[in-house]
Amino acid sequence: MTTQAEIKTKAPIDWVTTIFLLTYPLIGIFGTLYLYLYDSIHLATWGLFIFYFFATGMGITVGYHRLFSHKAYDAKTPVKLWLLLFGAAAFQSTALEWSEDHRIHHRFVDTDKDPYSIKKGFWFAHIGWLFRKRKYAQNGVQDLVNDPLVLWQHKHFYSISIFMCFILPGLISMLWGSFLEGMFVAGFLRLFVVHQFTFFINSACHVWGERTFSKEQTARDNWIIAFFTFGEGFHNFHHEFQSDYRNGIRWFDYDPSKWMIKGLSYLGLTYNLKKVSEDKILQKTMFLKEKETLHKFTNVSEDKLRNWEEQLEKLREKTLLEYQNWKQAKQTASESEAGVFRKNFEQTKENWEKLLNQPGEPLFS
Ligand SMILES: [Zn+2]
Ligand SMILES: [Zn+2]
């Protein structure tokens, strides 16, 4: 139950945003339905819908999120401009305010200070937090305040976003049909889909999936959600290693945002792509597996458990050392010599896994 004190401390309702968020989907859905039933929708309009879906969704993930909020890579001016223009067309506030909220989210995740804390419920994290006014102090975003392009988007946000979100798709669709086709389908309807999918990052990505890289917070890794969130579904990895330009780290992980950043780097349009070192990832995942397994043994004496933990730790450190040796050998030694280092590493890791899965007689008898 909400207490009087809580009601007083809650920020006032942001009526403009609330009414907009609750009514514009109807324009998209019924506008499209009207055209479909009583007029026509050209196939090219659906093509424009898909283009706009990816361009605006990734304006948020590639731009607002990984570039502006996390500085996970640098981008040349044309790319920055593109991301700011199409990010504005995703109608999620300015890059400056979005980044301020997002940096606070990472810093205070799962606490009261987290602007879209999942602890306040799925729907609050998904959309409810937007219904109340937020104060922006421009704390912790000085780097972005100093960026003239970001500031330009911030100052002219409404004219840029209304043009990019609703008017431009209408003008484009006039090439083959009517203005309304582009505006309803690639504008309003597309915005609804992009909103819901990007909102999943704050809701679903903190509820469903694995916690392989960090158990200290609620963020999860889930490839199904990644499919709907332009690759952001690998959110547990992201919360642990937030400056990495990737969210899905295996080459086959569906992360179109990562592929776009990497692809543009081949053209020299993005650079300074940040990646966390492989041994840091290995160290963290091995450590977490140990902790997880340790909790399974409830009726084993503490001494025995500590002993086992120490043995595991030693093997883990040896594994990491051999991993580093192998990485170094790959660069300096011949292929066959590096192969020996690799075998050593694999063997030690196997021993660690054996000990992890079968604690052994002397220890647990
Ligand atoms: Zn998060
Ligand atoms: Zn983030």
Side-chain angles (χ1 to χ4, degrees):
M1 219 175 82
T2 316
T3 64
Q4 281 301 317
E6 273 171 341
I7 291 168
K8 269 182 199 158
T9 52
K10 270 186 182 170
I13 295 203
D14 184 343
W15 285 108
V16 178
T17 306
T18 305
I19 291 168
F20 173 73
L21 284 174
L22 295 178
T23 54
Y24 88 80
L26 303 174
I27 303 175
I29 293 165
F30 289 110
T32 304
L33 213 57
Y34 170 80
L35 288 174
Y36 179 73
L37 293 173
Y38 300 107
D39 203 329
S40 66
I41 302 173
H42 198 284
L43 199 60
T45 306
W46 289 110
L48 186 65
F49 172 92
I50 292 168
F51 166 79
Y52 245 80
F53 168 73
F54 279 101
T56 58
M58 286 162 77
I60 296 296
T61 61
V62 174
Y64 278 32
H65 188 213
R66 301 192 199 183
L67 177 63
F68 297 115
S69 298
H70 290 298
K71 305 258 153 186
Y73 66 97
D74 287 315
K76 290 269 171 69
T77 304
V79 175
K80 256 189 187 175
L81 188 64
W82 172 277
L83 293 169
L84 285 167
L85 289 173
F86 281 95
F91 240 106
Q92 296 183 21
S93 183
T94 71
L96 190 65
E97 289 181 352
W98 200 102
S99 301
E100 185 170 338
D101 274 332
H102 193 70
R103 287 179 187 179
I104 298 171
H105 167 63
H106 273 268
R107 212 167 141 209
F108 298 106
V109 67
D110 301 330
T111 71
D112 261 0
K113 287 184 185 165
D114 178 355
Y116 25 87
S117 172
I118 196 71
K119 300 279 179 195
K120 293 181 184 165
F122 185 93
W123 289 109
F124 174 85
H126 189 74
I127 196 169
W129 72 282
L130 291 163
F131 296 158
R132 291 192 182 268
K133 281 192 173 146
R134 298 258 317 136
K135 278 196 190 114
Y136 293 95
Q138 298 191 348
N139 279 338
V141 283
Q142 200 51 48
D143 54 314
L144 298 175
V145 176
N146 293 337
D147 187 324
L149 266 186
V150 173
L151 216 55
W152 167 79
Q153 193 236 32
H154 185 73
K155 277 187 183 153
H156 307 284
F157 180 71
Y158 285 104
S159 33
I160 296 169
S161 55
I162 289 168
F163 178 77
M164 289 300 297
C165 189
F166 306 116
I167 299 173
L168 185 63
L171 293 176
I172 294 173
S173 68
M174 284 171 81
L175 293 171
W176 54 78
S178 70
F179 179 85
L180 288 182
E181 271 187 64
M183 192 181 76
F184 285 150
V185 180
F188 283 97
L189 187 68
R190 178 270 319 163
L191 182 64
F192 177 54
V193 180
V194 167
H195 264 172
Q196 296 309 313
F197 285 1
T198 44
F199 293 169
F200 273 146
I201 300 161
N202 298 334
S203 55
C205 287
H206 279 266
V207 176
W208 296 302
E210 301 286 321
R211 288 193 287 177
T212 314
F213 304 95
S214 162
K215 298 237 188 266
E216 287 123 43
Q217 32 75 28
T218 53
R220 315 277 166 142
D221 282 340
N222 186 322
W223 68 267
I224 299 172
I225 301 171
F227 186 76
F228 295 104
T229 53
F230 311 92
E232 308 264 269
F234 303 97
H235 205 50
N236 185 254
F237 174 83
H238 172 64
H239 265 268
E240 185 60 20
F241 303 109
Q242 53 178 288
S243 61
D244 199 307
Y245 84 93
R246 309 159 303 168
N247 277 14
I249 48 168
R250 295 164 301 181
W251 67 268
F252 54 86
D253 285 334
Y254 180 80
D255 186 354
S257 305
K258 157 187 87 175
W259 293 325
M260 186 173 168
I261 297 166
K262 185 75 182 167
L264 289 171
S265 76
Y266 293 123
L267 302 171
L269 291 168
T270 57
Y271 54 100
N272 202 11
L273 275 55
K274 293 191 188 104
K275 243 167 123 172
V276 66
S277 70
E278 299 285 330
D279 28 327
K280 247 191 181 166
I281 299 173
L282 189 65
Q283 186 178 28
K284 190 74 208 244
T285 47
M286 286 174 86
F287 176 77
L288 282 183
K289 263 194 193 147
E290 284 173 23
K291 292 278 160 237
E292 203 178 68
T293 317
L294 214 63
H295 281 121
K296 284 184 194 158
F297 299 101
T298 46
N299 45 14
V300 176
S301 79
E302 255 189 45
D303 280 354
K304 281 180 181 171
L305 274 181
R306 201 164 304 134
N307 185 3
W308 182 46
E309 207 177 358
E310 277 168 16
Q311 286 186 43
L312 274 172
E313 197 183 325
K314 272 187 201 145
L315 268 178
R316 171 175 21 109
E317 276 167 9
K318 196 166 175 240
T319 309
L320 286 166
L321 197 73
E322 276 165 4
Y323 180 79
Q324 283 160 353
N325 289 341
W326 168 42
K327 283 271 143 176
Q328 207 175 2
K330 271 213 297 195
Q331 286 173 354
T332 54
S334 69
E335 209 170 297
S336 63
E337 278 174 313
V340 177
F341 284 102
R342 188 181 135 195
K343 272 213 175 101
N344 284 345
F345 156 68
E346 284 171 351
Q347 187 59 53
T348 319
K349 186 151 188 264
E350 219 178 285
N351 291 342
W352 172 82
E353 263 158 17
K354 254 188 216 155
L355 184 65
L356 185 77
N357 297 320
Q358 298 157 358
E361 278 303 299
L363 204 57
F364 286 89
S365 58

